Amino acid sequence: MKEKLIVSLDMTDSSEIKALVDNLGDRVIYYKIGAIPFTFFGPEIVTYLKKHGKRIMFDLKYHDIPNTVARACDGAISMDVDLITIHASGGFSMLEEAVKAVLSGIGRQDGERPKLLGITVLTSIDEAYFKDLFGNVERSLAEQVLFLAQLARSAGLDGVVASPQEIVPIRQCCGDDFLIVTPGIRPAGSGVMDDDQARITTPGQAIKAGADYLVVGRPIVKAADPIAAAEAILKEMEDGYRETA
Ligand code: C5P
């Protein structure tokens, strides 16, 4: 299960990041670098994780004109990251250019290629907020997620980032070989955390629904004991997996 857990390093102090990665040791092999650590520390933090043998989800959620996104992807590829995110709502041409960049492998050091993921609808957005934002869109939030997942698939992306609540319908429409990465994970018994996530489930439920990767930030990095928190989440993931087997 530890292959499926991605810990999100949304922190502004690099010594705290390094201490956490050190403390979690072999329990965690996959980390997410998003807008917070990359804006504070730049490529240095990616290099640090690579040096420690970690895999990296590079979550800058690019959304811009096609050429800008494709060239930004070239930069991400040159850092040998494993997953790159772009907003599926950027449209087919933007997605297609990003796919070309990833397939061309320009800048890649190790011959592998990163997988490209489309962000569907952020997990902090609930139905009411979605209506406020896109009052003129006839699709419901769930329909919009599926629409964007299919758009991403048709443009050649490897998968999507979506709420765990949408895993089953995405799997049905996009197939088994399409990656589904889910943030919005809150451990069983943690109650509703007083935070910005809206469309959430537990680690066990996300695994049972068929998620390929779970992204977990604050339930681990803000825990009084991050090691215990990571182990408890891995245990919940294993239990969820056993219930599906
Ligand atoms: O702390 P928490 O577990 O809520 O962290 C979730 C992480 O996943 C954050 O870094 C957030 O930016 C990211 N994310 C998300 N929803 C998406 C895509 C990424 O919460 N749709």
Side-chain angles (χ1 to χ4, degrees), residues 88-106:
S89 54
F92 190 83
S93 307
M94 188 201 92
L95 299 174
E96 204 182 24
E97 286 306 307
V99 169
K100 279 188 210 155
V102 168
L103 293 180
S104 79
I106 291 173

Side-chain angles (χ1 to χ4, degrees), residues 8-10 32 34-36 57 59 61 85 87 119-124 161-163 181-186 193 195-197 199 215-222:
S8 186
L9 296 170
D10 297 317
K32 181 171 93 68
I36 299 175
M57 174 177 176
D59 184 33
K61 299 188 178 65
T85 61
H87 270 285
I119 303 286
T120 55
V121 176
L122 295 173
T123 41
S124 54
V161 181
S163 146
V181 177
T182 61
I185 301 296
R186 293 295 177 258
M193 288 176 79
D195 65 24
D196 50 0
Q197 293 287 13
R199 303 192 330 277
V215 176
V216 184
R218 287 162 289 186
I220 292 177
V221 306
K222 297 266 181 224

Side-chain angles (χ1 to χ4, degrees), residues 134-236:
F134 304 105
N136 53 344
V137 175
E138 279 180 11
R139 289 184 279 265
S140 67
L141 192 161
E143 287 166 345
Q144 178 71 355
V145 169
L146 281 189
F147 169 79
L148 291 171
Q150 281 168 310
L151 186 71
R153 178 147 184 90
S154 65
L157 271 73
D158 299 288
V160 283
V161 181
S163 146
Q165 298 178 3
E166 289 121 28
I167 297 169
V168 172
I170 292 174
R171 188 63 76 212
Q172 273 162 3
C173 82
C174 294
D176 285 344
D177 59 344
F178 197 58
L179 290 175
I180 305 178
V181 177
T182 61
I185 301 296
R186 293 295 177 258
S190 64
V192 175
M193 288 176 79
D194 185 18
D195 65 24
D196 50 0
Q197 293 287 13
R199 303 192 330 277
I200 57 172
T201 64
T202 65
Q205 285 165 334
I207 289 292
K208 270 199 266 183
D212 292 294
Y213 295 101
L214 274 55
V215 176
V216 184
R218 287 162 289 186
I220 292 177
V221 306
K222 297 266 181 224
D225 182 347
I227 295 179
E231 283 177 345
I233 286 171
L234 285 164
K235 165 94 174 50
E236 281 191 52

